[in-house]
Amino acid sequence: MSTKTKQQTQKEIINKTLNMAKDMGLNDVDVIISGSESFSLKADSGELSEYKKANTGALGVRVIKDQKVGLSFTEDLGDDAIKTILENAAQNSKFSKVDEYQLIEEGTQVDDINPVANIEYSPDANEMIEKALFLEEEVKKRDSNCESAPYNGMAEGISNFAIGNSKGVLCTHQSKSYTAYTSALVKKGDKNAMHYLFDSKRDFRELDYDKVINGSLEVANNFIDASQIKTGDYDVTFEVDLFDNIISSFMLLFSAKAAIDKSNPWREKLGEMVADSRLTFKDDPFFKAGHSVCPFDGEGKKKQTNTLLENGKLVQFLHNSATARELGLENNFCATRGAKSPLSATTSNFLIEAGTNTQDEFNSRRYVEILTAQGLHSGIKPISGEFSLGVSGRIWNNGEIETYFKDVTVSGNFFKMLSEIDLISDKVEASSDHSLFTPKILFSNLMIAGS
């Protein structure tokens, strides 16, 4: 007897839900099933401190009736629970505002189990346990000043997403990834410093343990004796994961919904220059190295690669069908919706195109590289563009590290920063989670308050 795949089961549940909705007189409905399977391990003092398996999932419905939207969800996939959330969503819609822009529309049908995102090889539990213990032990073994590795571990994650609607959409998606991480708490006399790194890969066998171990030790050791640098204006680059977090804090700039709500500072700037003419930003759901590769969006429509910023000019916002309809613009298929969340829009893999500046050109300069920052939430103002962050990092001079520093504050305006750029590297690097792909960018004259 053949065993049903998860995708077959999801589609059966979706079709069952849609049939129940039809019997209830609900003709404009979409159904989303989202879930995840995770296996995580942590080590402490040479022993496992966590061995955790989790399997979560939910089914959510969106009902549109009389131009009003109602949502409801359940984690119970039984018939009674599904009938209840359909009734609840229909009832909730009665109390919603009229929304003439949200519609249930035709889309695509696809089962997406991309082999690149679902490597067949899977380690057994013992292999992952061995690596978790290694990450904690090895970071201490490689440096006598390393007192402990407070944060360390291994994780496997499998995510599933399925959508269907009353207009014929029926899509499923699955992806898998692995993460290795560790930290180094280094002590010298009465001084201490800690640094943390992680690596994420689709293939367990490609995880870079040396990167996270040696990188954590190198930065922690150098931060111990670091002090403040002098107050002044500096040319600055950001470590790629930190730059990813900063850009994410300003994604409001590309939000069509924020433009509609008049909270997007660039809402009136479509077609205008908003950044350095060497900057081009793209959202690419098919980028093979990315970890967010999926052929359909949260409405079950075929995705496409979108250029958001081209040679410094704002080209378009991130749209779902509703925001595109409201603004009278073309949909660019960036819709997202979870089982428990309303319709929105987001990026997949965010790409900044390479520039023309070589490493030799960077090596000829003296500049600051910021490695860590505190206060990313409280210190960033997305609407005004202002930011003020407590940071630590290092100064590069003629291709060599001149000094490390800590406990200083960098401040500036993100919008202005995008227009005041000195160098853009001709090579692109990935963030650790493979969501951002960017060249190293040298921003001019950022203010650093130190000694």
Side-chain angles (χ1 to χ4, degrees):
M1 181 182 294
S2 62
T3 302
K4 289 180 183 177
T5 66
K6 182 178 289 290
Q7 287 69 37
Q8 288 172 327
T9 300
Q10 289 174 331
K11 288 193 290 186
E12 286 184 2
I13 295 171
I14 286 172
N15 283 327
K16 176 178 68 175
T17 305
L18 292 171
N19 287 331
M20 292 171 67
K22 186 176 181 180
D23 292 342
M24 295 166 64
L26 304 174
N27 298 316
D28 290 294
V29 179
D30 71 8
V31 183
I32 283 178
I33 299 176
S34 58
S36 65
E37 302 168 44
S38 63
F39 176 36
S40 59
L41 300 161
K42 296 179 182 178
D44 183 28
S45 303
E47 297 181 350
L48 284 182
S49 60
E50 178 180 287
Y51 183 107
K52 183 178 179 181
K53 288 190 173 184
N55 193 333
T56 62
L59 181 150
V61 296
R62 178 173 59 139
V63 171
I64 302 179
K65 194 169 184 180
D66 300 326
Q67 294 188 325
K68 296 181 177 182
V69 180
L71 303 173
S72 189
F73 73 90
T74 179
E75 295 178 1
D76 179 353
L77 301 185
D79 289 4
D80 289 344
I82 292 173
K83 182 180 178 182
T84 297
I85 65 166
L86 285 167
E87 292 171 344
N88 289 344
Q91 184 67 19
N92 292 340
S93 71
K94 296 178 181 179
F95 301 100
S96 299
K97 294 180 181 178
V98 170
D99 186 346
E100 61 190 287
Y101 305 109
Q102 281 200 54
L103 303 175
I104 305 297
E105 297 181 321
E106 295 179 356
T108 189
Q109 293 192 356
V110 61
D111 289 325
D112 178 51
I113 308 180
N114 184 341
V116 174
N118 293 275
I119 300 297
E120 188 173 340
Y121 178 81
S122 292
D124 61 26
N126 289 332
E127 191 173 0
M128 290 189 65
I129 290 171
E130 178 185 328
K131 292 301 184 183
L133 294 172
F134 170 79
L135 281 168
E136 195 235 358
E137 177 187 13
E138 189 67 14
V139 73
K140 293 185 289 184
K141 184 185 293 185
R142 293 188 188 184
D143 193 320
S144 59
N145 291 319
C146 182
E147 186 174 77
S148 64
Y151 306 102
N152 66 81
M154 298 290 303
E156 175 189 66
I158 300 173
S159 63
N160 293 278
F161 178 84
I163 180 171
N165 72 20
S166 52
K167 304 299 183 184
V169 164
L170 192 58
C171 304
T172 65
H173 169 77
Q174 177 178 294
S175 63
K176 179 172 69 169
S177 64
Y178 294 90
T179 303
Y181 63 97
T182 196
S183 57
L185 176 59
V186 175
K187 286 198 172 185
K188 292 180 182 178
D190 60 352
K191 297 179 180 179
N192 64 76
M194 188 183 78
H195 195 63
Y196 160 97
L197 280 177
F198 76 95
D199 188 43
S200 179
K201 293 289 193 301
R202 291 296 193 189
D203 190 335
F204 174 83
R205 296 164 296 186
E206 295 179 358
L207 286 168
D208 192 342
Y209 304 101
D210 284 337
K211 168 192 166 184
V212 297
I213 293 170
N214 293 335
S216 295
L217 285 168
E218 177 189 358
V219 175
N221 270 301
N222 281 289
F223 276 163
I224 277 196
D225 296 317
S227 58
Q228 293 183 334
I229 55 175
K230 290 183 178 180
T231 295
D233 291 335
Y234 292 84
D235 294 339
V236 171
T237 68
F238 294 89
E239 186 273 334
V240 62
D241 288 337
L242 175 57
F243 192 44
D244 186 14
N245 288 330
I246 292 172
I247 287 180
S248 297
S249 299
F250 286 100
M251 285 309 294
L252 182 78
L253 296 172
F254 300 106
S255 169
K257 182 65 168 65
I260 291 168
D261 294 340
K262 301 189 183 307
S263 59
N264 183 339
W266 285 355
R267 62 186 178 275
E268 305 289 345
K269 294 186 178 294
L270 279 176
E272 296 182 14
M273 295 293 293
V274 293
D276 187 288
S277 62
R278 293 168 291 173
L279 283 181
T280 293
F281 295 170
K282 292 183 177 181
D283 175 52
D284 188 350
F286 311 111
F287 193 66
K288 289 184 178 179
H291 278 199
S292 183
V293 176
C294 182
F296 61 90
D297 72 358
E299 293 181 285
K301 297 177 180 292
K302 289 183 179 179
K303 282 188 175 182
Q304 65 184 31
T305 300
N306 292 306
T307 299
L308 303 174
L309 189 75
E310 185 170 29
N311 299 326
K313 183 183 293 185
L314 181 63
V315 177
Q316 58 186 321
F317 298 127
L318 299 166
H319 284 288
N320 53 48
S321 65
T323 60
R325 190 173 292 110
E326 185 165 356
L327 290 174
L329 299 170
E330 288 189 11
N331 187 5
N332 52 20
F333 313 110
C334 296
T336 183
R337 189 170 90 76
K340 302 179 182 180
S341 59
L343 183 65
S344 185
T346 190
T347 56
S348 50
N349 306 299
F350 197 79
L351 280 56
I352 301 178
E353 289 194 349
T356 60
N357 299 114
T358 64
Q359 186 58 46
D360 286 343
E361 291 177 87
F362 279 87
N363 290 346
S364 70
R365 306 298 179 90
R366 183 176 187 266
Y367 63 90
V368 164
E369 180 188 12
I370 295 177
L371 298 174
T372 65
Q374 296 78 45
L376 281 171
H377 296 292
S378 60
I380 288 179
K381 311 300 181 187
I383 295 178
S384 68
E386 299 296 324
F387 63 89
S388 180
L389 305 170
V391 299
S392 302
R394 54 195 175 193
I395 294 179
W396 290 88
N397 194 358
N398 292 321
E400 296 183 354
I401 298 172
E402 177 182 304
T403 188
Y404 278 77
F405 64 87
K406 61 183 179 182
D407 301 332
V408 303
T409 299
V410 63
S411 57
N413 184 283
F414 185 74
F415 312 149
K416 183 179 178 183
M417 190 174 87
L418 291 179
S419 295
E420 297 185 354
I421 291 173
D422 188 1
L423 303 176
I424 302 177
S425 172
D426 58 0
K427 291 181 173 57
V428 169
E429 57 184 317
S431 60
S432 296
D433 65 358
H434 299 267
S435 65
L436 172 69
F437 298 83
T438 179
K440 180 162 63 176
I441 302 174
L442 186 60
F443 298 100
S444 302
N445 297 321
L446 287 180
M447 176 65 184
I448 293 181
S451 59

